[in-house]
Amino acid sequence: MAPSGAVDPWAVYESAWFDTVSVADGLPHSTTTAIVQDKRGLIWIGTFGGLVRYDGYRMQVFGQEPDSYAGAVLPDSYVRAIAPLDDGGLLIGTNAGGLVRFDPGTMRFHVYPIGPGGSSSGKIFSIARAREPGVFWIATEGGVDRLDLASGRITHAAPRAGDATDMLLRTFVVMEDKAGNLWAGADNGLFVRRPGGHFERMRSAEPAVDEILHDQVWALLQDSRGRIWIGTGQSGVIYLDAESKGHLVPGFSGKNGLARRRTVRALHETPQGVLWAATDGAGVVTYDFSTGRLRPLAHDAAMPSSLPGDITRDIFQDTAGNIWVATELGAAHYDPHGRKVFSVLPSPLETHTLSNANVHAVFVDPRGRVWLGLGMGRIDVLDLSKGTMHHLQLGGEQAERDVQAFVVAPDGSIWAGAQGISRIDPDTFELKSSMIPSLDGRLILSMQRDGDDILIGGYDGLFRYDTRRGTLNQMRHDDADPKSLVGDQVRYIVRMPDAWWYATISGISISYDGERGFVNLRHDPADPSSLPQDYTGSMAFDSHHRLWLGTFGGIAYLDDFKPRGPFHFGVIGAREGLSNTKINALLIDHDDRIWASMANGVAMVDAASHRVADLGIRDGLRIPSYIHRAAAEAPGGELMFGGLGGLTVIRPYWVAPVTAPVRLAVTQVSVNEKPLPLRQMPAEGEAVSIAGDGRNLRVDFALLDFRAPLETHYAYRIDELDRGWNEVARGIPPSAIYTNLPSGTYTLRLRATTRGLDGRTVETSLRVEVTPRWYESPWTLLGGIVLGVVAFFGLVYLRTLYLRRRAELLQAQVDARTRDLKAANERLDHLAGTDELTGSLNRRRFLEQAERVRQGAASDGIPFSVVLIDIDDFKVVNDTFGHLAGDTVIRETMRVISSMCRADDLAGRFGGEEFILCLPGALAEHALDITERVRHALGDMVIAHGDYRIRITVSAGVAMWRAPESLNSLLGRADEALYQAKNEGRNRSRIAGL
C-alpha cells in the first residue's frame, strides 16, 4: 500500500498519554482482557478476576464470590470476551465456565450449557455479532458456534462435514464481513466460508504471505475500505484486499516486524484511518493508512504516562473517542481528540525524548531547529524537518547548571548560557566552553544579538560583549543614579522600535538608540496604570501593535504603544479570570490570542475581549508547572512552553474531530439503600418512585467521556427543596443524596462543568415521585399540629424553669474548666515546639514557621534564604569528653547562633549536631555574611565543661528560595551545599546553586 499525505513533523516527538484504571481504582485483578461500552454509555472491563462496570468514578465488580455486586455470580471469574446487547445486557465468554448472558432486569447471569445443546467448549475465545439480527458467532476451543439470542439455541457451525479437512477445532476469532463471508482464525491458519458454501483455507501464491496465513490467527478486522486485516500468533499483521489477495505491511508483517513474534490479540481502526494492534508482549503498534507510518506504543518505565504494560489483549474506542487498551496492569485509555496540546517528555529509553525533565529555555534557530535548554547542562536539538533529536552535554562549570539562554552569534554559531557561555557549531554540534572567560562562574539568564555585540543578562546586571574586539562592558543598578539599570537581575531582553527593553525582577529598563542611560518603568501603588508588578518577563506585539507583557501581577498590555510613551498599562488578572497572576512566559498566535504559561498551568486570552480560558487535560495539557521565559513559536506556528517535567506544545489551530455530544448519565440509583436493577435506570426526564416508610434517595451520575475526572465539577439540586446548587467536592464520586424526603413530586437536576478551551456545562434532570404515607393526610396533619402546639408550650414552660437553675451551676463549672484547659494547652503547645536540650525551636515547629515564610514569599515576591549548620567532627567531642560535654557544646552553639539572629529570623535545632536558620528578606549573599559571622564566632569561642576546655568548628550550606520551589527542595539544596562544604575540608560555608 503506497503511503500518501504529509507527515506531522511533531509526530515522532509527541507522547501518547495514557491514563490507567487499575487495581488501586477498584479492579478485581490487574490483568484486563476485554473492554466494551454498553447501551447507556458505561464501560465494562473483563479481567482475570471478574467483570467490572465502570462510569469513570465507580466500579461495580461481578465475580465468582457470593458477595459480588447485587448477588450476581459468574461461573468463572476469568473473562475472555464481552459483547454488548441491545437491551443493555451482555454476552460474556469465560475461560472455563462457557458462555454467559447478563440480564440487566434481574441483575443475574444466565449460563448456557456446555456440550450437547450448548457451546462446543467451556473456553470461549471471542464473540462476534452476525449480520442477522439477534445472532452471534462464538469462537471456542471446540470450534465455531452460532447463538440465536431470542431462542437461546446454540448450534455448532464449524468445522463440519464439507469444511476444509485440515481446519482445527481450536478457533481464536470469528468475524462475519459486510458481504456475508464468515471468517475464522484457527490454531493453524485462516479459513473462510462464503455464503452457501463451506469453510476453506485461505491461501496465497506469494510464499511469504502464504506462510503467515498458516500461522495462528487471533484477530480479524474489516476496515472502512473493505479490506480484511489479520493478526497472527508470531507473524504480525497482513491484510487481504477486495479480491482476497494478501499484502504485507513493511515493518509489521513477518516474524521480524514490530510485533516481535508476539501474538496480535486485537485490531481496531480509528475514524482517522489509523490501525491499532494489541500485541501480547510488544505493547500496541499503530499504522496510519494515509502515511504508512508505523509507531510502537510500549511501556516506558521512565515515563508514567506510557502504556502501563506491554501485554495487551483488547482495543476498544468508546463513543467519546477514547481508545481503551486492555493490559496486564489495568485498562489504559488515550484521548486522540485531546491533541491541541501535547507533551514532549523525558526518558533515557527512547531517542526522541528529552534528556532532562526540566526545560529552562526554548529557542528556534535560523534553520528552524528547536533548541531546548535543560537542567544539568543538557541541550536537546529538535530538527523538525528531519524528525531527529540531538542530545548535547555542556562541560566544565556548566555541566551541572540549567541552560537558560541561547543566541545566534555573528559567525552563525549558537551560544548557550548557563554558568558562563559555551559555543556550539550549528553543523557539527562541536562544543567549546568559556567563550567569555570573565563570565565564567556567572549565571546567564538572557542573551540577544545587537549587530556584532551580544547583550547578556544575568544576576549581576547587563553585559555588552563586542565580538570583534573581545571587550566586555557591564551595566548595573546604582541607587544614586536614576538613569542606571532598574535592577541587576536581567531576565529578558527584547528589541523594540528604536530601543532595547530589559525585563528585570525590579521593573523594566529602556535603552534608546544613541542615548546614554536608561528610562525605567516600575510598579507604582499610587498609579493603577503603572506596571502591575515589578517582576517582569516576556513581551510581544499582536497584529494591531498592542504590546503584551508578562509580569508576576498578571498580563499587562498597552493598547496604543508609542516608543517613548506615555506607558499607561492595562492589566488582565484574577478579576478577569486568570487562575494565577504569576505569568512565566507568553506567546501570541496569528489570531491575536495570548497564550500564557503560569506556575500552575496555561491560559489563553482573547486580545479583543480579554476573555480568559484555562487549558485542561481535555485539551491535552498534562504538565502543570512552567518556567520563567521558556517559550518560543515553532516554524509551523506551534507554541512551545518549557516546564518542570517536559516541553508543552500547543497547536493553536488544531480542531478535534467532531464526536457525539457527551452524555451526563445516571449510572446507579438506590432507593432506601436498595439499588435499582440496571434496566430500571431512568433516562433524562424519566421518574424515580419512592414509596413506603423510607424516603432516602441516592443517585450516582457521571459525565461519560471518561476524561479528566478531577477537572470535572459536579453539582445537583432539587428545584423545590434546594435554594442553590449542591457542589460535589473535588475528588469525590458525584452523587446526589437526599434523606427523609417529604411526599410530593420534584425535579432533580444534575450538572457537570468541564475545564478547558471548549469547557462547557452539561445538565440532565429526573422526576422524583415520593408517595405520601397514610398519616400524611391534611386532617391528620392538622390534628397533629394542634396537639403538638399544646404539648410544645407546656414542655417549654417546664423546661425553662429547669434550665434556668442548671445554667448558673454549669456556667461556673465551664468557666473554671475552660481556664484550666487553656493554660494546659498553652503549656503543651510550647513543649511540643521546643527542643528539650537547647530551648530553641525543634524541627517540627521550625518547618511549620518556615513554610509560612515560603508562602509569604510566593505571594509578595520577597526572597528568603535557609542555612544548615553542622558541628564538625562532633563524634570526636562525645568520644573524648563524654556525652554531657557534647550536650554543653550543642547548647552553647545554639546560644551563639540565636544571639546573631534578627528579630524576624527563625533558628532551631534540626537534629543531632545540626542547626537551621530561616532568614526572611535575605538574598544568598546576605545569608552567607550572617553565616560567616556565626562560623567565626563559634571558631573563636572556648566552651568550658568542668575542667575541660573545648574548641569547635562548623560547616554550613546556604540556599536562596526560587519560585515556585517547595520547602523540601530548598532544604535539599541547602543540604547539598553543606555536603560540599564538608567535602572541601570543613570549617567553611558554601552557597547552593540555582
Side-chain angles (χ1 to χ4, degrees), residues 824-887:
N825 283 338
E826 289 175 352
R827 289 193 299 273
L828 288 173
D829 184 68
H830 176 73
L831 292 173
T834 302
D835 176 61
E836 183 179 0
L837 180 60
T838 64
S840 64
L841 297 177
N842 63 14
R843 182 190 186 111
R844 181 178 65 85
R845 184 57 53 84
F846 178 91
L847 292 178
E848 290 175 357
Q849 296 188 18
E851 176 60 20
R852 295 193 189 100
V853 172
R854 189 199 69 80
Q855 292 175 0
S859 299
D860 56 29
I862 296 176
F864 74 95
S865 297
V866 164
V867 181
L868 280 174
I869 300 173
D870 187 89
I871 300 174
D872 297 327
D873 298 317
F874 183 72
K875 184 176 183 301
V876 174
V877 174
N878 281 334
D879 292 344
T880 305
F881 304 104
H883 287 279
L884 292 179
D887 290 346

Side-chain angles (χ1 to χ4, degrees), residues 375-415:
M376 304 301 289
R378 294 185 178 274
I379 297 172
D380 287 347
V381 186
L382 285 66
D383 191 329
L384 299 176
S385 64
K386 298 178 181 178
T388 60
M389 180 184 288
H390 294 277
H391 302 299
L392 310 178
Q393 173 66 64
L394 297 182
E397 292 189 7
Q398 304 204 66
E400 302 298 323
R401 294 296 182 179
D402 302 334
V403 181
Q404 301 191 67
F406 294 98
V407 71
V408 179
D411 65 356
S413 63
I414 305 296
W415 288 17

Side-chain angles (χ1 to χ4, degrees), residues 633-678:
E633 180 179 346
E638 300 87 2
L639 308 179
M640 302 174 289
F641 290 95
L644 297 173
L647 178 71
T648 291
V649 182
I650 300 173
R651 300 180 175 101
Y653 318 107
W654 189 82
V655 178
V658 177
T659 57
V662 178
R663 286 190 290 174
L664 178 61
V666 172
T667 62
Q668 187 57 267
V669 175
S670 294
V671 175
N672 299 325
E673 287 74 49
K674 182 178 180 181
L676 298 183
L678 298 185

Side-chain angles (χ1 to χ4, degrees), residues 864-867 924 957-961 970-971 973-975 977 990-992:
F864 74 95
S865 297
V866 164
V867 181
V958 179
M960 186 179 77
W961 178 76
L970 178 61
L971 291 173
R973 292 194 297 109
D975 191 58
R990 290 293 179 264
I991 297 179

Side-chain angles (χ1 to χ4, degrees), residues 9 39 69 150 173 197 225 340-341 400 544 548 641 645 649 705 732 756 835 912:
K39 182 180 179 181
Y69 180 76
V173 63
R225 305 178 189 181
K340 194 178 198 74
V341 185
E400 302 298 323
H544 296 279
W548 299 87
F641 290 95
V649 182
D705 67 351
I732 296 177
D835 176 61

Side-chain angles (χ1 to χ4, degrees), residues 954-970:
V954 296
S955 299
V958 179
M960 186 179 77
W961 178 76
R962 57 182 184 186
E965 185 178 33
S966 68
L967 187 59
N968 283 340
S969 174
L970 178 61

